[in-house]
Short mmCIF file of all heavy atoms in Angstrom, two decimals:
data_model
loop_
_atom_site.label_atom_id
_atom_site.label_comp_id
_atom_site.label_asym_id
_atom_site.label_seq_id
_atom_site.Cartn_x
_atom_site.Cartn_y
_atom_site.Cartn_z
N HIS C 24 0.86 -1.20 -0.02
CA HIS C 24 0.00 0.01 0.00
C HIS C 24 0.89 1.29 0.05
O HIS C 24 0.64 2.24 0.70
CB HIS C 24 -0.96 -0.01 1.18
CG HIS C 24 -1.90 -1.09 1.19
ND1 HIS C 24 -2.53 -1.68 2.27
CD2 HIS C 24 -2.58 -1.74 0.08
CE1 HIS C 24 -3.36 -2.61 1.91
NE2 HIS C 24 -3.41 -2.60 0.65
N GLY C 25 1.87 1.26 -0.86
CA GLY C 25 2.78 2.37 -0.98
C GLY C 25 3.94 2.52 0.05
O GLY C 25 4.73 3.38 0.04
N ARG C 26 3.87 1.55 1.00
CA ARG C 26 4.95 1.60 2.05
C ARG C 26 6.00 0.49 1.80
O ARG C 26 5.68 -0.64 1.52
CB ARG C 26 4.26 1.22 3.39
CG ARG C 26 5.24 1.19 4.67
CD ARG C 26 4.52 1.07 5.93
NE ARG C 26 3.78 -0.17 6.05
CZ ARG C 26 4.28 -1.23 6.76
NH1 ARG C 26 5.41 -1.11 7.34
NH2 ARG C 26 3.52 -2.35 6.89
N ARG C 27 7.19 0.89 1.85
CA ARG C 27 8.31 -0.02 1.60
C ARG C 27 8.74 -0.64 2.89
O ARG C 27 8.97 -0.03 3.95
CB ARG C 27 9.51 0.64 0.96
CG ARG C 27 10.65 -0.22 0.60
CD ARG C 27 10.37 -1.05 -0.62
NE ARG C 27 10.21 -0.27 -1.79
CZ ARG C 27 9.81 -0.71 -2.97
NH1 ARG C 27 9.56 -2.05 -3.17
NH2 ARG C 27 9.69 0.06 -4.06
N THR C 28 8.77 -2.01 2.97
CA THR C 28 9.06 -2.68 4.19
C THR C 28 9.59 -4.09 3.93
O THR C 28 9.55 -4.52 2.70
CB THR C 28 7.87 -2.73 5.17
OG1 THR C 28 8.16 -3.50 6.25
CG2 THR C 28 6.72 -3.59 4.35
N ASP C 29 10.11 -4.78 4.92
CA ASP C 29 10.39 -6.32 4.68
C ASP C 29 9.69 -7.07 5.75
O ASP C 29 9.93 -8.27 5.85
CB ASP C 29 11.91 -6.53 4.74
CG ASP C 29 12.56 -6.26 6.04
OD1 ASP C 29 11.84 -5.80 6.93
OD2 ASP C 29 13.78 -6.54 6.19
N VAL C 30 8.72 -6.51 6.47
CA VAL C 30 7.83 -7.16 7.41
C VAL C 30 6.48 -6.63 7.30
O VAL C 30 6.24 -5.38 7.27
CB VAL C 30 8.32 -6.98 8.87
CG1 VAL C 30 7.43 -7.71 9.84
CG2 VAL C 30 9.75 -7.52 9.09
N ILE C 31 5.47 -7.46 7.12
CA ILE C 31 4.07 -7.05 7.17
C ILE C 31 3.38 -7.76 8.24
O ILE C 31 3.75 -8.94 8.63
CB ILE C 31 3.36 -7.27 5.78
CG1 ILE C 31 3.30 -8.78 5.38
CG2 ILE C 31 3.98 -6.51 4.71
CD1 ILE C 31 2.40 -9.03 4.27
N GLU C 32 2.29 -7.13 8.77
CA GLU C 32 1.59 -7.68 9.96
C GLU C 32 0.21 -8.30 9.48
O GLU C 32 -0.50 -7.63 8.69
CB GLU C 32 1.32 -6.63 11.03
CG GLU C 32 2.56 -5.94 11.47
CD GLU C 32 3.13 -4.79 10.61
OE1 GLU C 32 2.27 -4.24 9.72
OE2 GLU C 32 4.36 -4.52 10.61
N VAL C 33 -0.13 -9.45 9.93
CA VAL C 33 -1.40 -10.09 9.64
C VAL C 33 -2.05 -10.56 10.87
O VAL C 33 -1.29 -11.19 11.69
CB VAL C 33 -1.25 -11.23 8.54
CG1 VAL C 33 -1.07 -10.61 7.16
CG2 VAL C 33 -0.30 -12.22 8.85
N LEU C 34 -3.29 -10.35 11.08
CA LEU C 34 -4.08 -10.90 12.17
C LEU C 34 -5.04 -11.95 11.57
O LEU C 34 -5.19 -12.20 10.42
CB LEU C 34 -4.91 -9.73 12.85
CG LEU C 34 -4.16 -8.50 13.28
CD1 LEU C 34 -5.05 -7.37 13.70
CD2 LEU C 34 -3.21 -8.94 14.40
N PRO C 35 -5.79 -12.72 12.47
CA PRO C 35 -6.65 -13.75 12.03
C PRO C 35 -7.71 -13.08 10.96
O PRO C 35 -8.37 -12.10 11.29
CB PRO C 35 -7.33 -14.24 13.30
CG PRO C 35 -6.24 -14.03 14.31
CD PRO C 35 -5.61 -12.73 14.01
N ALA C 36 -7.79 -13.81 9.80
CA ALA C 36 -8.65 -13.35 8.71
C ALA C 36 -8.24 -12.06 8.05
O ALA C 36 -8.99 -11.41 7.32
CB ALA C 36 -10.14 -13.24 9.26
N SER C 37 -6.90 -11.69 8.21
CA SER C 37 -6.34 -10.55 7.46
C SER C 37 -5.96 -11.18 6.15
O SER C 37 -5.56 -12.33 5.94
CB SER C 37 -5.10 -10.01 8.20
OG SER C 37 -5.41 -9.45 9.36
N MET C 38 -5.95 -10.22 5.10
CA MET C 38 -5.56 -10.54 3.82
C MET C 38 -4.90 -9.35 3.16
O MET C 38 -5.35 -8.22 3.26
CB MET C 38 -6.76 -10.88 2.87
CG MET C 38 -7.61 -12.19 3.44
SD MET C 38 -9.40 -12.10 2.97
CE MET C 38 -9.99 -10.92 4.20
N ILE C 39 -3.73 -9.53 2.58
CA ILE C 39 -3.07 -8.44 1.97
C ILE C 39 -2.17 -9.03 0.77
O ILE C 39 -1.74 -10.07 0.88
CB ILE C 39 -2.07 -7.74 2.92
CG1 ILE C 39 -1.48 -6.43 2.34
CG2 ILE C 39 -1.05 -8.67 3.52
CD1 ILE C 39 -0.79 -5.60 3.30
N SER C 40 -2.09 -8.16 -0.34
CA SER C 40 -1.26 -8.53 -1.37
C SER C 40 -0.22 -7.44 -1.57
O SER C 40 -0.46 -6.21 -1.59
CB SER C 40 -2.14 -8.60 -2.74
OG SER C 40 -3.17 -9.54 -2.67
N VAL C 41 1.09 -7.87 -1.68
CA VAL C 41 2.24 -6.92 -1.72
C VAL C 41 3.14 -7.34 -2.87
O VAL C 41 3.16 -8.53 -3.35
CB VAL C 41 3.02 -7.04 -0.37
CG1 VAL C 41 2.13 -6.52 0.77
CG2 VAL C 41 3.61 -8.36 -0.10
N ASP C 42 3.90 -6.40 -3.34
CA ASP C 42 4.69 -6.55 -4.51
C ASP C 42 6.22 -6.50 -4.27
O ASP C 42 6.59 -5.74 -3.30
CB ASP C 42 4.45 -5.48 -5.58
CG ASP C 42 3.08 -5.79 -6.35
OD1 ASP C 42 2.47 -6.86 -6.23
OD2 ASP C 42 2.63 -4.92 -7.05
N MET C 43 6.92 -7.29 -4.98
CA MET C 43 8.37 -7.37 -4.77
C MET C 43 9.08 -7.57 -6.18
O MET C 43 8.59 -8.22 -7.08
CB MET C 43 8.70 -8.62 -3.97
CG MET C 43 10.17 -9.09 -3.87
SD MET C 43 10.37 -10.75 -3.22
CE MET C 43 9.79 -10.45 -1.47
N VAL C 44 10.24 -6.91 -6.26
CA VAL C 44 11.15 -7.23 -7.47
C VAL C 44 12.46 -7.78 -6.79
O VAL C 44 13.27 -6.96 -6.10
CB VAL C 44 11.48 -5.97 -8.25
CG1 VAL C 44 12.47 -6.41 -9.33
CG2 VAL C 44 10.14 -5.48 -8.80
N PRO C 45 12.70 -9.12 -6.76
CA PRO C 45 13.87 -9.54 -6.08
C PRO C 45 15.15 -8.96 -6.63
O PRO C 45 15.40 -8.95 -7.85
CB PRO C 45 13.83 -11.04 -6.38
CG PRO C 45 12.35 -11.34 -6.64
CD PRO C 45 11.86 -10.18 -7.35
N ARG C 46 16.04 -8.59 -5.69
CA ARG C 46 17.22 -7.94 -6.05
C ARG C 46 18.55 -8.70 -5.74
O ARG C 46 19.68 -8.30 -6.08
CB ARG C 46 17.29 -6.58 -5.31
CG ARG C 46 17.26 -6.67 -3.77
CD ARG C 46 17.21 -5.37 -3.14
NE ARG C 46 17.10 -5.55 -1.61
CZ ARG C 46 17.06 -4.64 -0.77
NH1 ARG C 46 17.14 -3.34 -1.19
NH2 ARG C 46 17.03 -4.90 0.50
N SER C 47 18.39 -9.80 -4.85
CA SER C 47 19.54 -10.57 -4.53
C SER C 47 19.25 -12.10 -4.74
O SER C 47 18.28 -12.64 -4.17
CB SER C 47 19.82 -10.36 -3.02
OG SER C 47 19.99 -8.94 -2.69
N PRO C 48 20.04 -12.72 -5.55
CA PRO C 48 19.86 -14.23 -5.72
C PRO C 48 20.27 -14.90 -4.46
O PRO C 48 21.07 -14.55 -3.65
CB PRO C 48 20.80 -14.55 -6.90
CG PRO C 48 21.85 -13.49 -6.84
CD PRO C 48 21.25 -12.24 -6.28
N GLY C 49 19.70 -16.17 -4.29
CA GLY C 49 20.03 -17.01 -3.19
C GLY C 49 18.81 -17.74 -2.64
O GLY C 49 17.76 -17.62 -3.04
N ASP C 50 19.09 -18.53 -1.54
CA ASP C 50 18.05 -19.21 -0.78
C ASP C 50 17.78 -18.38 0.41
O ASP C 50 18.66 -18.23 1.32
CB ASP C 50 18.44 -20.65 -0.37
CG ASP C 50 18.57 -21.63 -1.57
OD1 ASP C 50 17.79 -21.35 -2.61
OD2 ASP C 50 19.38 -22.50 -1.56
N TRP C 51 16.55 -17.91 0.60
CA TRP C 51 16.27 -17.00 1.62
C TRP C 51 15.12 -17.43 2.52
O TRP C 51 14.26 -18.19 2.19
CB TRP C 51 15.73 -15.64 0.98
CG TRP C 51 16.76 -15.07 0.01
CD1 TRP C 51 16.64 -15.08 -1.32
CD2 TRP C 51 17.85 -14.36 0.45
NE1 TRP C 51 17.77 -14.37 -1.81
CE2 TRP C 51 18.49 -13.89 -0.82
CE3 TRP C 51 18.49 -13.99 1.66
CZ2 TRP C 51 19.70 -13.14 -0.72
CZ3 TRP C 51 19.65 -13.26 1.69
CH2 TRP C 51 20.28 -12.85 0.41
N LEU C 52 15.20 -17.00 3.76
CA LEU C 52 14.17 -17.34 4.76
C LEU C 52 12.91 -16.48 4.58
O LEU C 52 13.04 -15.30 4.25
CB LEU C 52 14.75 -17.14 6.19
CG LEU C 52 15.51 -18.20 6.76
CD1 LEU C 52 16.13 -17.67 8.09
CD2 LEU C 52 14.84 -19.57 6.92
N LEU C 53 11.78 -17.16 4.74
CA LEU C 53 10.44 -16.49 4.94
C LEU C 53 9.94 -17.12 6.14
O LEU C 53 9.75 -18.25 6.28
CB LEU C 53 9.55 -16.82 3.68
CG LEU C 53 8.09 -16.43 3.86
CD1 LEU C 53 7.87 -14.95 3.99
CD2 LEU C 53 7.21 -16.99 2.71
N HIS C 54 9.60 -16.29 7.11
CA HIS C 54 9.06 -16.70 8.39
C HIS C 54 8.30 -15.62 9.13
O HIS C 54 8.31 -14.46 8.81
CB HIS C 54 10.34 -17.10 9.27
CG HIS C 54 11.25 -16.01 9.65
ND1 HIS C 54 11.07 -15.39 10.83
CD2 HIS C 54 12.31 -15.50 9.01
CE1 HIS C 54 12.13 -14.46 10.93
NE2 HIS C 54 12.81 -14.49 9.78
N CYS C 55 7.63 -16.09 10.19
CA CYS C 55 6.94 -15.26 11.13
C CYS C 55 8.01 -14.85 12.15
O CYS C 55 8.82 -15.58 12.61
CB CYS C 55 5.82 -15.93 11.82
SG CYS C 55 5.12 -14.94 13.14
N HIS C 56 8.01 -13.56 12.43
CA HIS C 56 9.05 -13.00 13.31
C HIS C 56 8.70 -12.96 14.78
O HIS C 56 9.43 -12.46 15.64
CB HIS C 56 9.48 -11.55 12.83
CG HIS C 56 10.97 -11.38 12.92
ND1 HIS C 56 11.71 -11.40 14.05
CD2 HIS C 56 11.77 -10.98 11.90
CE1 HIS C 56 13.01 -11.22 13.68
NE2 HIS C 56 13.06 -10.95 12.42
N VAL C 57 7.51 -13.56 15.13
CA VAL C 57 7.24 -13.75 16.46
C VAL C 57 8.04 -14.85 17.01
O VAL C 57 8.10 -15.95 16.49
CB VAL C 57 5.65 -14.08 16.63
CG1 VAL C 57 5.30 -14.39 18.12
CG2 VAL C 57 4.81 -12.90 16.16
N ASN C 58 8.76 -14.62 18.17
CA ASN C 58 9.79 -15.51 18.66
C ASN C 58 9.17 -16.88 18.84
O ASN C 58 9.83 -17.97 18.31
CB ASN C 58 10.37 -15.03 19.91
CG ASN C 58 11.31 -13.81 19.75
OD1 ASN C 58 11.70 -13.55 18.61
ND2 ASN C 58 11.62 -13.15 20.78
N ASP C 59 8.11 -17.12 19.54
CA ASP C 59 7.51 -18.46 19.80
C ASP C 59 7.19 -19.16 18.48
O ASP C 59 7.27 -20.38 18.32
CB ASP C 59 6.36 -18.36 20.62
CG ASP C 59 6.77 -18.03 22.14
OD1 ASP C 59 7.88 -18.01 22.48
OD2 ASP C 59 5.78 -17.66 22.93
N HIS C 60 6.78 -18.36 17.51
CA HIS C 60 6.37 -18.94 16.21
C HIS C 60 7.55 -19.49 15.45
O HIS C 60 7.50 -20.53 14.81
CB HIS C 60 5.51 -18.01 15.41
CG HIS C 60 4.25 -17.60 16.16
ND1 HIS C 60 3.42 -16.60 15.63
CD2 HIS C 60 3.66 -18.00 17.26
CE1 HIS C 60 2.36 -16.36 16.42
NE2 HIS C 60 2.56 -17.17 17.48
N MET C 61 8.69 -18.68 15.49
CA MET C 61 9.89 -19.16 14.76
C MET C 61 10.40 -20.46 15.44
O MET C 61 10.74 -21.37 14.66
CB MET C 61 10.95 -18.04 14.94
CG MET C 61 10.77 -16.92 13.98
SD MET C 61 12.25 -15.88 13.92
CE MET C 61 12.23 -14.98 15.58
N LEU C 62 10.29 -20.46 16.79
CA LEU C 62 10.86 -21.65 17.48
C LEU C 62 10.02 -22.82 17.17
O LEU C 62 10.60 -23.97 17.03
CB LEU C 62 10.74 -21.37 19.05
CG LEU C 62 11.25 -22.50 19.94
CD1 LEU C 62 12.68 -22.74 19.75
CD2 LEU C 62 10.88 -22.11 21.43
N ALA C 63 8.76 -22.70 16.91
CA ALA C 63 7.92 -23.85 16.61
C ALA C 63 7.73 -24.22 15.15
O ALA C 63 7.01 -25.09 14.71
CB ALA C 63 6.38 -23.51 17.13
#
């Protein structure tokens, strides 16, 4: 929505579509940044 970021927030029943143009090749992590969720 016009904001540049590398983290977006979603709540139950949230929906959002965001755009990206990859600038760095490689194998990258995609994860939830909530600590307990990463651990699990």
Side-chain angles (χ1 to χ4, degrees):
H24 295 153
R26 178 174 67 100
R27 185 73 65 184
T28 182
D29 65 357
V30 178
I31 61 170
E32 304 80 24
V33 286
L34 303 174
S37 294
M38 300 153 281
I39 185 170
S40 298
V41 299
D42 283 349
M43 167 194 291
V44 178
R46 58 186 179 175
S47 303
D50 291 331
W51 301 104
L52 281 173
L53 167 64
H54 65 93
C55 176
H56 224 299
V57 176
N58 288 345
D59 289 347
H60 299 177
M61 283 192 287
L62 179 66

